[in-house]
Short mmCIF file of all heavy atoms in Angstrom, two decimals:
data_model
loop_
_atom_site.label_atom_id
_atom_site.label_comp_id
_atom_site.label_asym_id
_atom_site.label_seq_id
_atom_site.Cartn_x
_atom_site.Cartn_y
_atom_site.Cartn_z
N HIS A 1 -0.41 3.02 0.34
CA HIS A 1 -0.58 2.45 1.68
C HIS A 1 -0.97 0.98 1.67
O HIS A 1 -0.84 0.30 2.68
CB HIS A 1 -1.59 3.27 2.51
CG HIS A 1 -3.03 3.08 2.16
ND1 HIS A 1 -3.75 3.99 1.42
CD2 HIS A 1 -3.90 2.08 2.46
CE1 HIS A 1 -5.00 3.56 1.30
NE2 HIS A 1 -5.11 2.40 1.92
N VAL A 2 -1.43 0.47 0.52
CA VAL A 2 -1.71 -0.97 0.41
C VAL A 2 -0.42 -1.77 0.49
O VAL A 2 -0.38 -2.88 1.01
CB VAL A 2 -2.46 -1.28 -0.90
CG1 VAL A 2 -2.59 -2.78 -1.14
CG2 VAL A 2 -3.85 -0.64 -0.88
N PHE A 3 0.68 -1.19 0.00
CA PHE A 3 1.98 -1.85 -0.02
C PHE A 3 2.91 -1.38 1.09
O PHE A 3 3.97 -1.96 1.30
CB PHE A 3 2.68 -1.60 -1.36
CG PHE A 3 2.05 -2.30 -2.54
CD1 PHE A 3 0.86 -1.85 -3.09
CD2 PHE A 3 2.66 -3.42 -3.11
CE1 PHE A 3 0.29 -2.48 -4.18
CE2 PHE A 3 2.09 -4.06 -4.20
CZ PHE A 3 0.90 -3.60 -4.73
N GLN A 4 2.54 -0.33 1.77
CA GLN A 4 3.44 0.30 2.75
C GLN A 4 3.86 -0.66 3.85
O GLN A 4 3.05 -1.35 4.45
CB GLN A 4 2.76 1.52 3.36
CG GLN A 4 3.68 2.37 4.22
CD GLN A 4 2.99 3.61 4.75
OE1 GLN A 4 1.77 3.73 4.66
NE2 GLN A 4 3.75 4.55 5.27
N ASN A 5 5.17 -0.70 4.12
CA ASN A 5 5.77 -1.52 5.18
C ASN A 5 5.54 -3.02 4.99
O ASN A 5 5.59 -3.79 5.95
CB ASN A 5 5.24 -1.10 6.56
CG ASN A 5 5.67 0.30 6.93
OD1 ASN A 5 6.67 0.81 6.43
ND2 ASN A 5 4.90 0.95 7.79
N THR A 6 5.28 -3.44 3.76
CA THR A 6 5.15 -4.87 3.48
C THR A 6 6.40 -5.34 2.75
O THR A 6 7.24 -4.55 2.32
CB THR A 6 3.90 -5.17 2.64
OG1 THR A 6 4.01 -4.53 1.37
CG2 THR A 6 2.65 -4.69 3.34
N SER A 7 6.53 -6.64 2.62
CA SER A 7 7.73 -7.23 2.04
C SER A 7 7.58 -7.36 0.52
O SER A 7 6.69 -8.08 0.05
CB SER A 7 7.98 -8.62 2.64
OG SER A 7 8.13 -8.52 4.05
N ILE A 8 8.43 -6.66 -0.22
CA ILE A 8 8.40 -6.75 -1.67
C ILE A 8 8.73 -8.18 -2.08
O ILE A 8 9.69 -8.77 -1.61
CB ILE A 8 9.41 -5.77 -2.31
CG1 ILE A 8 9.08 -4.34 -1.90
CG2 ILE A 8 9.43 -5.91 -3.81
CD1 ILE A 8 7.71 -3.87 -2.34
N GLY A 9 7.91 -8.72 -2.94
CA GLY A 9 8.08 -10.10 -3.37
C GLY A 9 7.09 -11.05 -2.73
O GLY A 9 6.94 -12.19 -3.16
N GLU A 10 6.40 -10.56 -1.71
CA GLU A 10 5.40 -11.40 -1.05
C GLU A 10 3.98 -10.97 -1.39
O GLU A 10 3.03 -11.36 -0.72
CB GLU A 10 5.61 -11.38 0.47
CG GLU A 10 6.91 -12.05 0.90
CD GLU A 10 7.03 -12.19 2.40
OE1 GLU A 10 6.10 -11.75 3.12
OE2 GLU A 10 8.02 -12.75 2.87
N GLU A 11 3.85 -10.14 -2.44
CA GLU A 11 2.52 -9.71 -2.85
C GLU A 11 1.87 -10.79 -3.71
O GLU A 11 2.55 -11.55 -4.38
CB GLU A 11 2.57 -8.41 -3.67
CG GLU A 11 3.37 -7.30 -3.06
CD GLU A 11 4.82 -7.35 -3.47
OE1 GLU A 11 5.24 -8.35 -4.08
OE2 GLU A 11 5.54 -6.39 -3.18
N GLY A 12 0.56 -10.84 -3.67
CA GLY A 12 -0.19 -11.72 -4.54
C GLY A 12 -1.28 -10.93 -5.24
O GLY A 12 -2.00 -10.15 -4.61
N ILE A 13 -1.38 -11.08 -6.54
CA ILE A 13 -2.39 -10.40 -7.34
C ILE A 13 -3.37 -11.44 -7.85
O ILE A 13 -3.00 -12.35 -8.59
CB ILE A 13 -1.75 -9.67 -8.55
CG1 ILE A 13 -0.65 -8.71 -8.09
CG2 ILE A 13 -2.82 -8.95 -9.36
CD1 ILE A 13 -1.10 -7.63 -7.15
N LYS A 14 -4.62 -11.34 -7.42
CA LYS A 14 -5.64 -12.31 -7.84
C LYS A 14 -6.57 -11.65 -8.85
O LYS A 14 -7.24 -10.68 -8.53
CB LYS A 14 -6.45 -12.83 -6.66
CG LYS A 14 -7.50 -13.85 -7.07
CD LYS A 14 -8.40 -14.24 -5.91
CE LYS A 14 -9.47 -15.24 -6.35
NZ LYS A 14 -10.34 -14.72 -7.42
N LEU A 15 -6.60 -12.19 -10.05
CA LEU A 15 -7.46 -11.65 -11.09
C LEU A 15 -8.88 -12.17 -10.92
O LEU A 15 -9.11 -13.30 -10.46
CB LEU A 15 -6.94 -12.04 -12.47
CG LEU A 15 -5.49 -11.66 -12.79
CD1 LEU A 15 -5.19 -12.00 -14.25
CD2 LEU A 15 -5.23 -10.19 -12.52
N THR A 16 -9.84 -11.36 -11.30
CA THR A 16 -11.24 -11.76 -11.24
C THR A 16 -11.50 -12.95 -12.14
O THR A 16 -11.06 -12.98 -13.29
CB THR A 16 -12.14 -10.59 -11.68
OG1 THR A 16 -11.90 -9.48 -10.82
CG2 THR A 16 -13.61 -10.98 -11.59
N GLY A 17 -12.21 -13.94 -11.61
CA GLY A 17 -12.56 -15.11 -12.39
C GLY A 17 -11.43 -16.10 -12.58
O GLY A 17 -11.55 -17.04 -13.37
N SER A 18 -10.33 -15.89 -11.88
CA SER A 18 -9.18 -16.79 -12.01
C SER A 18 -8.75 -17.29 -10.63
O SER A 18 -8.89 -16.58 -9.64
CB SER A 18 -8.02 -16.07 -12.68
OG SER A 18 -6.84 -16.84 -12.64
N ASN A 19 -8.23 -18.51 -10.59
CA ASN A 19 -7.69 -19.04 -9.35
C ASN A 19 -6.17 -18.88 -9.28
O ASN A 19 -5.54 -19.33 -8.32
CB ASN A 19 -8.05 -20.52 -9.22
CG ASN A 19 -9.53 -20.73 -8.98
OD1 ASN A 19 -10.18 -19.90 -8.34
ND2 ASN A 19 -10.08 -21.81 -9.49
N ASP A 20 -5.60 -18.25 -10.29
CA ASP A 20 -4.15 -18.07 -10.34
C ASP A 20 -3.74 -16.82 -9.57
O ASP A 20 -4.46 -15.82 -9.53
CB ASP A 20 -3.68 -17.94 -11.78
CG ASP A 20 -3.93 -19.20 -12.59
OD1 ASP A 20 -3.82 -20.30 -12.01
OD2 ASP A 20 -4.24 -19.09 -13.80
N ILE A 21 -2.55 -16.90 -8.96
CA ILE A 21 -1.98 -15.78 -8.23
C ILE A 21 -0.74 -15.31 -8.97
O ILE A 21 0.15 -16.09 -9.31
CB ILE A 21 -1.61 -16.17 -6.79
CG1 ILE A 21 -2.85 -16.65 -6.03
CG2 ILE A 21 -0.95 -15.01 -6.06
CD1 ILE A 21 -3.94 -15.62 -5.89
N TYR A 22 -0.67 -14.01 -9.25
CA TYR A 22 0.46 -13.44 -9.97
C TYR A 22 1.28 -12.56 -9.03
O TYR A 22 0.80 -12.11 -7.99
CB TYR A 22 -0.04 -12.62 -11.16
CG TYR A 22 -0.76 -13.46 -12.18
CD1 TYR A 22 -2.14 -13.67 -12.08
CD2 TYR A 22 -0.08 -14.06 -13.24
CE1 TYR A 22 -2.81 -14.46 -13.00
CE2 TYR A 22 -0.74 -14.85 -14.17
CZ TYR A 22 -2.11 -15.05 -14.05
OH TYR A 22 -2.77 -15.83 -14.95
N LYS A 23 2.53 -12.33 -9.42
CA LYS A 23 3.44 -11.57 -8.58
C LYS A 23 3.74 -10.21 -9.21
O LYS A 23 3.66 -10.03 -10.42
CB LYS A 23 4.76 -12.33 -8.41
CG LYS A 23 4.59 -13.75 -7.88
CD LYS A 23 4.08 -13.78 -6.46
CE LYS A 23 5.12 -13.29 -5.49
NZ LYS A 23 4.64 -13.37 -4.10
N VAL A 24 4.10 -9.26 -8.35
CA VAL A 24 4.58 -7.97 -8.81
C VAL A 24 6.02 -8.16 -9.28
O VAL A 24 6.87 -8.64 -8.54
CB VAL A 24 4.53 -6.92 -7.68
CG1 VAL A 24 5.21 -5.63 -8.12
CG2 VAL A 24 3.09 -6.66 -7.28
N SER A 25 6.28 -7.80 -10.53
CA SER A 25 7.62 -8.01 -11.08
C SER A 25 8.50 -6.77 -10.97
O SER A 25 9.73 -6.88 -10.96
CB SER A 25 7.54 -8.44 -12.55
OG SER A 25 6.87 -7.45 -13.33
N GLU A 26 7.88 -5.58 -10.86
CA GLU A 26 8.67 -4.36 -10.82
C GLU A 26 7.85 -3.21 -10.23
O GLU A 26 6.69 -3.03 -10.58
CB GLU A 26 9.10 -3.99 -12.25
CG GLU A 26 10.00 -2.80 -12.35
CD GLU A 26 10.38 -2.48 -13.79
OE1 GLU A 26 9.80 -3.08 -14.72
OE2 GLU A 26 11.27 -1.62 -13.98
N ILE A 27 8.47 -2.45 -9.33
CA ILE A 27 7.88 -1.22 -8.82
C ILE A 27 8.48 -0.07 -9.62
O ILE A 27 9.69 0.14 -9.63
CB ILE A 27 8.18 -1.01 -7.32
CG1 ILE A 27 7.67 -2.19 -6.49
CG2 ILE A 27 7.57 0.31 -6.85
CD1 ILE A 27 6.19 -2.35 -6.47
N LEU A 28 7.64 0.67 -10.33
CA LEU A 28 8.12 1.72 -11.22
C LEU A 28 8.16 3.09 -10.55
O LEU A 28 9.08 3.88 -10.80
CB LEU A 28 7.23 1.78 -12.47
CG LEU A 28 7.18 0.48 -13.29
CD1 LEU A 28 6.17 0.61 -14.41
CD2 LEU A 28 8.56 0.16 -13.85
N GLN A 29 7.16 3.39 -9.74
CA GLN A 29 7.10 4.69 -9.06
C GLN A 29 6.13 4.59 -7.89
O GLN A 29 5.17 3.82 -7.94
CB GLN A 29 6.65 5.78 -10.03
CG GLN A 29 6.83 7.20 -9.53
CD GLN A 29 8.27 7.56 -9.25
OE1 GLN A 29 8.63 7.90 -8.14
NE2 GLN A 29 9.13 7.47 -10.28
N ARG A 30 6.36 5.37 -6.86
CA ARG A 30 5.45 5.39 -5.72
C ARG A 30 5.52 6.74 -5.03
O ARG A 30 6.54 7.44 -5.10
CB ARG A 30 5.77 4.27 -4.74
CG ARG A 30 7.20 4.19 -4.30
CD ARG A 30 7.47 2.93 -3.51
NE ARG A 30 8.87 2.51 -3.61
CZ ARG A 30 9.31 1.36 -3.13
NH1 ARG A 30 8.50 0.54 -2.51
NH2 ARG A 30 10.57 1.02 -3.27
N SER A 31 4.43 7.09 -4.36
CA SER A 31 4.38 8.35 -3.63
C SER A 31 3.50 8.19 -2.40
O SER A 31 2.31 7.89 -2.52
CB SER A 31 3.83 9.47 -4.52
OG SER A 31 3.57 10.63 -3.76
N GLU A 32 4.09 8.39 -1.24
CA GLU A 32 3.29 8.35 -0.01
C GLU A 32 2.39 9.58 0.07
O GLU A 32 1.24 9.49 0.52
CB GLU A 32 4.20 8.30 1.20
CG GLU A 32 3.44 8.20 2.52
CD GLU A 32 4.35 8.02 3.71
OE1 GLU A 32 5.59 8.10 3.54
OE2 GLU A 32 3.84 7.80 4.81
N LYS A 33 2.89 10.72 -0.39
CA LYS A 33 2.13 11.96 -0.31
C LYS A 33 0.83 11.89 -1.11
O LYS A 33 -0.23 12.30 -0.64
CB LYS A 33 2.99 13.13 -0.81
CG LYS A 33 2.29 14.47 -0.78
CD LYS A 33 3.19 15.58 -1.30
CE LYS A 33 2.47 16.92 -1.31
NZ LYS A 33 3.33 18.02 -1.84
N GLU A 34 0.91 11.36 -2.35
CA GLU A 34 -0.27 11.26 -3.19
C GLU A 34 -0.81 9.83 -3.25
O GLU A 34 -1.65 9.51 -4.08
CB GLU A 34 0.04 11.80 -4.59
CG GLU A 34 0.34 13.30 -4.56
CD GLU A 34 0.61 13.89 -5.93
OE1 GLU A 34 1.46 13.32 -6.66
OE2 GLU A 34 -0.01 14.91 -6.27
N ASP A 35 -0.33 9.00 -2.36
CA ASP A 35 -0.86 7.67 -2.09
C ASP A 35 -1.07 6.81 -3.34
O ASP A 35 -2.14 6.24 -3.54
CB ASP A 35 -2.17 7.79 -1.31
CG ASP A 35 -2.49 6.48 -0.56
OD1 ASP A 35 -1.60 5.63 -0.42
OD2 ASP A 35 -3.65 6.33 -0.12
N PHE A 36 -0.05 6.72 -4.18
CA PHE A 36 -0.16 5.83 -5.33
C PHE A 36 1.10 5.00 -5.47
O PHE A 36 2.18 5.37 -4.99
CB PHE A 36 -0.40 6.61 -6.63
CG PHE A 36 0.82 7.28 -7.20
CD1 PHE A 36 1.70 6.59 -8.03
CD2 PHE A 36 1.10 8.61 -6.91
CE1 PHE A 36 2.83 7.20 -8.56
CE2 PHE A 36 2.23 9.23 -7.44
CZ PHE A 36 3.11 8.52 -8.25
N ILE A 37 0.95 3.87 -6.12
CA ILE A 37 2.09 3.04 -6.50
C ILE A 37 1.84 2.53 -7.90
O ILE A 37 0.74 2.11 -8.25
CB ILE A 37 2.31 1.88 -5.49
CG1 ILE A 37 3.58 1.08 -5.86
CG2 ILE A 37 1.10 0.97 -5.40
CD1 ILE A 37 4.03 0.15 -4.75
N LEU A 38 2.86 2.64 -8.74
CA LEU A 38 2.80 2.22 -10.14
C LEU A 38 3.73 1.02 -10.28
O LEU A 38 4.91 1.10 -9.95
CB LEU A 38 3.26 3.38 -11.04
CG LEU A 38 3.27 3.16 -12.55
CD1 LEU A 38 1.85 3.00 -13.09
CD2 LEU A 38 3.95 4.36 -13.23
N PHE A 39 3.20 -0.08 -10.76
CA PHE A 39 3.98 -1.32 -10.80
C PHE A 39 3.58 -2.18 -11.98
O PHE A 39 2.58 -1.94 -12.65
CB PHE A 39 3.80 -2.10 -9.49
CG PHE A 39 2.38 -2.47 -9.17
CD1 PHE A 39 1.87 -3.72 -9.49
CD2 PHE A 39 1.53 -1.56 -8.53
CE1 PHE A 39 0.55 -4.06 -9.18
CE2 PHE A 39 0.22 -1.89 -8.22
CZ PHE A 39 -0.27 -3.15 -8.55
N ARG A 40 4.38 -3.21 -12.20
CA ARG A 40 4.09 -4.14 -13.29
C ARG A 40 3.91 -5.54 -12.72
O ARG A 40 4.63 -5.97 -11.82
CB ARG A 40 5.22 -4.13 -14.33
CG ARG A 40 4.82 -4.73 -15.68
CD ARG A 40 5.88 -4.46 -16.73
NE ARG A 40 5.99 -3.08 -17.11
CZ ARG A 40 5.16 -2.47 -17.97
NH1 ARG A 40 4.14 -3.13 -18.49
NH2 ARG A 40 5.34 -1.20 -18.28
N VAL A 41 2.89 -6.23 -13.24
CA VAL A 41 2.59 -7.61 -12.84
C VAL A 41 3.10 -8.54 -13.94
O VAL A 41 3.05 -8.19 -15.13
CB VAL A 41 1.07 -7.80 -12.63
CG1 VAL A 41 0.76 -9.22 -12.19
CG2 VAL A 41 0.56 -6.79 -11.60
N ASN A 42 3.58 -9.73 -13.56
CA ASN A 42 4.14 -10.64 -14.55
C ASN A 42 3.06 -11.36 -15.35
O ASN A 42 2.87 -12.58 -15.26
CB ASN A 42 5.07 -11.67 -13.88
CG ASN A 42 4.34 -12.55 -12.88
OD1 ASN A 42 3.27 -12.18 -12.39
ND2 ASN A 42 4.89 -13.71 -12.57
N ILE A 43 2.34 -10.58 -16.13
CA ILE A 43 1.26 -11.11 -16.96
C ILE A 43 1.10 -10.19 -18.16
O ILE A 43 1.40 -8.99 -18.08
CB ILE A 43 -0.06 -11.23 -16.17
CG1 ILE A 43 -1.13 -11.94 -16.98
CG2 ILE A 43 -0.54 -9.86 -15.71
CD1 ILE A 43 -2.42 -12.21 -16.21
N THR A 44 0.65 -10.74 -19.28
CA THR A 44 0.41 -9.94 -20.48
C THR A 44 -1.01 -10.18 -20.98
O THR A 44 -1.72 -11.05 -20.48
CB THR A 44 1.41 -10.28 -21.59
OG1 THR A 44 1.34 -11.69 -21.88
CG2 THR A 44 2.83 -9.91 -21.19
#
């Protein structure tokens, strides 16, 4: 539900202690019923 009905590609991921914003690079799996989304961020 954090991502529900939002525009893919317009997400911003802010890491603790950092001023950098990272993007979601891939959505791997999601379920509205069990309210989870599995994704990859462009960071290693």
Side-chain angles (χ1 to χ4, degrees):
H1 76 257
V2 172
F3 290 75
Q4 189 177 12
N5 295 336
T6 63
S7 301
I8 300 299
E10 293 188 359
E11 310 89 350
I13 305 300
K14 181 186 179 301
L15 305 185
T16 301
S18 171
N19 290 328
D20 296 325
I21 300 298
Y22 297 89
K23 306 293 291 182
V24 172
S25 59
E26 184 181 10
I27 302 294
L28 301 174
Q29 192 62 240
R30 52 189 153 188
S31 170
E32 182 175 7
K33 180 181 178 181
E34 294 182 309
D35 201 15
F36 77 85
I37 184 166
L38 180 67
F39 58 97
R40 198 170 291 280
V41 181
N42 62 339
I43 187 174
T44 56

